[in-house]
Amino acid sequence: MRRSPGGIVVAALVLAATAVVVASGPNLAAAAPAEPYSWKNVRIDGGGFVPGIVFNPGEKDLIYARTDIGGAYRWNQPAQSWTPLLDWVGQDDWGHNGVLSIAADPVDTTRVYAAVGMYTNSWDPNNGAILRSTDKGNTWSRTMLPFKVGGNMPGRGMGERLAVDPRNNRNVYFAAEGGNGLWRSTDYGATWGKVANFPNAGNYVADPSDPNGYLNQNQGLTWVTFDPASPAVYVGVADKENPVYRSPDSGATWERIAGQPTGYLAHKGVIQGKYLFIATSDTGGPYDGAAGQVARLDTTTGVWTDISPTPVADRYHGYSGLTVDARKPGTLMVATQISWWPDAIFFRSTDYGATWTRAWDWSSYPSRTKRYTMDISANPWLDFNSTAQAPEESPKLGWMNESLAIDPFDSNRLLYGTGATVYGTTNLTGWDNGTTVTIKPMAKGLEETAVLDLASPPTGAPLISALGDIGGFHHADLDTVQPNFHDTPALGSNTGLDFAELSPSFFVRVGNSEAAPHIGISNDGGKTWYQGQEPSGVTGGGTVAVGADANAVVWSPAGTGVHYSTTRGSTWSASTGIPAGAKVESDRVNPRTFYAYAAGRFYTSTDGGATFSASAAAMPAEGRVNLKAVPGVAGEVWLAGRTGLLRSTDSGRTFTTAGGGVSEGINVAFGKAAPGTTRPTVFLVGTVDGTDGVFRSDNTGAYWVRINDDRHQYGNAGDALAGDPRVYGRVYLGTNGRGILYADRLGGPTTPTPSVSSSSAGPSPSVSVSVSPSGSVSPSQSPSTSTGCTATYRVTGQWTGGFQGEVTVRNTGTVAITGWKAGWTYTAGQTVTQAWGGTAAQSGSAVSVVNAGYNGALASGASTTFGFLGGSTGTTNPVPSPITCSTTP
């Protein structure tokens, strides 16, 4: 569950073609002018829960997807990608990026509807709305509802709650949550009224005693479906004793259907021919569900039949994700709700549910036989950086599979959503004839990550991200899905990251893992990481700041007070003079100066974070506040908040209000100076001249140009913001649910993007040599094909009195090995003080490292890496040679 307020390659946004000028003119009283920009997503593909996929049964390849916090999408068949439809949602109505339901009109296929709103409690200040479009979602009209809608609330995978009457498409129904009952429009969604005679508003509540107000909502009504061959309308209700109702006369009267199964909630209801099929579970999901059944109603006789694929005695899951094949009567599929271990299960029947086959079956435990294979080469991070132990597999078939949909025009195409992406297949009927079904991610264009922090260093990858749920990435290429997210350590949702401005290969990131570790350290620009130490009491990531020369780190974690480290995160001491929970930032020039904000006060440290002093300057006391120090200018720090944009040039002792008509700020960042200028470009998410947007100033905030437009506001955006120090005009914008956007001036950057390098930018260059099993140095020698291994030693970072290194061990033989041992002898008094990924021992100058339990087994050609911290004396740190490697630990 992502509770923060708010919100694959998206087609470039091209604004009106006007001349490009440096934004340094006079401060005018009129609204800030617009400058043409292109906007695209930094490509991740997916990253969040997709609870609904809707095929329009009236038009081939017209498909919609809904997300819980990231808006709605339409499928682009030629491009094999998704097009976002709700990027016009802005800061004031950010909750309308939560989409509880979508309905596609099967008669007039240009029409589509969406029920929007994110939370039904106080987290979302606005009521929900019904959106309607007559051009397939390119543009929308909105009708506000007199109650809230919960696109990110429990039960959001049930549905669809919106439905268009195929017999009279002027009529649209909405099954509301919260005890608000059934609503109907008779004018294509323009106006709505409550169906007064609908008899049951639902009564299921996940946790009535939840103090946070998230689990104690009545989940209300769950779905609406129509019988295309009769005037009958069916409605699901979150009431375990009365889960299904019917109107035999187009909504004039309603009745509880006799003989229906009870004890569960009906997540889905689908009509095929004379049958109504329902999939039920004991909870509303989407994270849980331990029991349920699949049932079939013969609408001509009124007879219900239990057609559950799994016998009650063997069932440890409910059911959801129900779909039928419109081209093959009797063919239907259903998914588990929810089978975390060892995997989700999909069931398929070709005889109306009389018999079923499974996507996978047990052979001899822990082995499984499968009717499918997973190909995640397009999005390799979906293995979650793991090699699972049988019977689990990486990647999983899925989880939270509430959306499961067979194409009504193509029996071979199936799409389904998970908690991380959209998967699909185009050879589904191979299931029935023994052919392996190939499942691939189909999430290009659908970006749903919640972005918590961004950093664009002056060297290395152009962008490093901290994301909710999947941690974040080292974005070596903005337009290419990266192979894996941050790992070793994995920190869960990463809440903050920072780098040393003057030594930008050094990064620190922090996160909200349930238990330690909560911190990771990198010496190669955020590409690889090792686990840092942490103060006692840490329960979450908070914020982190790295001193300009990498010799001090200040961390403000959850669970304890602010701490500082002078040993790159290996030891910590408590800071004084600063409250717990403060947001911290480093000066980008002075390595001993740090800044912080908490509860309406600004704080400064000039001793590396040991002590902080409060400023007397007036600060915004509430709302969203973000602060950034200026690269290249000592003592200059800016703060964006509800009262506007503040600037200090004396390390926070005094502040002045930035000009240019800024009335409110959300975030501020700095990028490469404009041509002919020396001051960094300033980027602002905020309000200028009464207009919300993203702005750029090339003259220290005196004059602004708007670089987005009203069609592209991205909901609750801006708590993560970074300017690019290498490309003038480029900015990276983080959203809560629409991923990372990057924007360039129209026509492309005026300076070329440097090639990405992962080498250390510290005082000592990275050094790499490979060693044959015999121990002779051979930097370019081809690996031996005999049984054995090689080891590659590399210094990844160096500072006075210490260094960090890593060694890559590779199996150069033709058979797998089960263990390894690497060794070397230092010649300049170096010592290994800490190691990870292996067990290190040192006797005198001789060092040996034996594999850890998880990385000793290496297939032919496979490799693993271990890292270490070392101490050094004097001014030299020569690379030892030779480095031996043995397959006998």
Side-chain angles (χ1 to χ4, degrees), residues 219-489:
Q219 294 184 20
L221 309 187
T222 59
W223 48 265
V224 179
T225 192
F226 295 90
D227 185 344
S230 77
V233 187
Y234 296 84
V235 176
V237 179
D239 177 347
K240 292 185 177 182
E241 298 307 312
N242 307 282
V244 186
Y245 285 77
R246 174 176 55 196
S247 170
D249 47 19
S250 299
T253 62
W254 298 90
E255 62 186 7
R256 179 189 185 277
I257 303 177
Q260 63 184 274
T262 60
Y264 304 112
L265 304 175
H267 278 229
K268 306 286 180 180
V270 181
I271 293 277
Q272 187 190 53
K274 68 175 183 177
Y275 292 115
L276 168 71
F277 298 95
I278 64 171
T280 72
S281 182
D282 58 343
T283 73
Y287 307 104
D288 53 3
Q293 67 179 135
V294 182
R296 184 186 69 205
L297 170 68
D298 186 327
T299 61
T300 62
T301 65
V303 174
W304 286 90
T305 304
D306 183 350
I307 57 169
S308 302
T310 304
V312 173
D314 298 332
R315 202 175 304 156
Y316 56 95
H317 52 76
Y319 297 95
S320 187
L322 176 66
T323 184
V324 297
D325 187 339
R327 305 180 69 83
K328 292 180 175 292
T331 296
L332 64 153
M333 294 180 66
V334 69
T336 50
Q337 173 64 39
I338 186 169
S339 174
W340 290 104
W341 185 94
D343 210 338
I345 311 171
F346 295 166
F347 304 91
R348 180 173 171 90
S349 174
T350 57
D351 54 11
Y352 296 97
T355 61
W356 298 84
T357 52
R358 294 164 46 117
W360 60 266
D361 290 281
W362 295 107
S363 51
S364 57
Y365 185 86
S367 298
R368 292 191 276 159
T369 58
K370 302 182 297 181
R371 288 181 166 84
Y372 66 92
T373 184
M374 303 285 288
D375 176 4
I376 60 168
S377 55
N379 301 150
W381 63 265
L382 286 168
D383 66 2
F384 278 68
N385 300 342
S386 66
T387 302
Q389 183 175 350
E392 294 188 278
E393 295 183 351
S394 299
K396 283 180 173 288
L397 178 61
W399 63 97
M400 298 163 64
N401 305 122
E402 302 257 22
S403 53
L404 191 72
I406 299 174
D407 187 340
F409 293 91
D410 183 357
S411 298
N412 269 311
R413 178 155 66 173
L414 171 80
L415 295 179
Y416 68 92
T418 76
T421 193
V422 175
Y423 280 114
T425 183
T426 56
N427 68 327
L428 177 62
T429 59
W431 182 309
D432 305 323
N433 59 31
T435 303
T436 299
V437 175
T438 300
I439 296 174
K440 299 180 179 182
M442 293 187 176
K444 183 180 179 183
L446 195 158
E447 296 286 346
E448 206 201 344
T449 50
V451 186
L452 303 181
D453 205 358
L454 296 170
S456 182
T459 62
L463 185 70
I464 310 297
S465 63
L467 306 177
D469 298 335
I470 59 173
F473 291 84
H474 173 272
H475 299 276
D477 186 327
L478 303 177
D479 300 317
T480 302
V481 178
Q482 298 303 295
N484 46 58
F485 51 77
H486 298 320
D487 201 8
T488 317

Side-chain angles (χ1 to χ4, degrees), residues 33-306:
E35 181 173 322
Y37 255 70
S38 67
W39 289 80
K40 297 197 297 183
N41 270 104
V42 175
R43 191 173 169 197
I44 296 171
D45 290 10
F49 180 35
V50 182
I53 297 172
V54 175
F55 284 84
N56 189 315
E59 182 176 334
K60 182 177 175 60
D61 296 326
L62 182 52
I63 316 166
Y64 298 94
R66 61 179 173 94
T67 70
D68 49 7
I69 66 171
Y73 293 81
R74 184 185 65 238
W75 180 248
N76 181 333
Q77 179 66 17
Q80 293 289 290
S81 67
W82 297 93
T83 300
L85 302 178
L86 300 185
D87 285 351
W88 52 269
V89 173
Q91 298 282 352
D92 291 339
D93 53 3
W94 55 263
H96 289 178
N97 264 326
V99 185
L100 181 67
S101 190
I102 283 182
D105 189 329
V107 180
D108 179 356
T109 59
T110 64
R111 295 182 182 273
V112 63
Y113 303 86
V116 298
M118 202 166 292
Y119 300 104
T120 59
N121 57 17
S122 61
W123 300 343
D124 188 337
N126 298 317
N127 281 345
I130 303 294
L131 307 181
R132 63 189 187 279
S133 173
T134 57
D135 55 11
K136 301 180 181 179
N138 292 327
T139 61
W140 299 85
S141 299
R142 176 164 51 188
T143 300
M144 295 299 296
L145 293 168
F147 50 83
K148 294 185 177 185
V149 169
N152 196 32
M153 295 294 287
R156 60 191 179 275
M158 297 191 284
E160 292 294 314
R161 287 175 160 97
L162 271 176
V164 178
D165 187 342
R167 297 170 62 86
N168 181 356
N169 68 323
R170 295 177 60 93
N171 297 333
V172 188
Y173 283 81
F174 175 48
E177 320 136 283
N180 291 300
L182 184 65
W183 288 67
R184 178 172 54 207
S185 171
T186 58
D187 55 6
Y188 299 106
T191 61
W192 291 80
K194 187 174 183 178
V195 179
N197 64 339
F198 189 79
N200 190 341
N203 60 20
Y204 174 76
V205 176
D207 181 2
S209 62
D210 178 21
N212 297 313
Y214 184 72
L215 299 173
N216 55 8
Q217 175 197 231
N218 176 4
Q219 294 184 20
L221 309 187
T222 59
W223 48 265
V224 179
T225 192
F226 295 90
D227 185 344
S230 77
V233 187
Y234 296 84
V235 176
V237 179
D239 177 347
K240 292 185 177 182
E241 298 307 312
N242 307 282
V244 186
Y245 285 77
R246 174 176 55 196
S247 170
D249 47 19
S250 299
T253 62
W254 298 90
E255 62 186 7
R256 179 189 185 277
I257 303 177
Q260 63 184 274
T262 60
Y264 304 112
L265 304 175
H267 278 229
K268 306 286 180 180
V270 181
I271 293 277
Q272 187 190 53
K274 68 175 183 177
Y275 292 115
L276 168 71
F277 298 95
I278 64 171
T280 72
S281 182
D282 58 343
T283 73
Y287 307 104
D288 53 3
Q293 67 179 135
V294 182
R296 184 186 69 205
L297 170 68
D298 186 327
T299 61
T300 62
T301 65
V303 174
W304 286 90
T305 304
D306 183 350

Side-chain angles (χ1 to χ4, degrees), residues 600-634:
R601 301 294 299 273
F602 190 89
Y603 299 83
T604 302
S605 171
T606 58
D607 57 6
T611 61
F612 282 82
S613 299
S615 169
M619 293 282 117
E622 58 184 5
R624 298 160 73 182
V625 174
N626 287 286
L627 63 156
K628 293 282 176 59
V630 181
V633 186

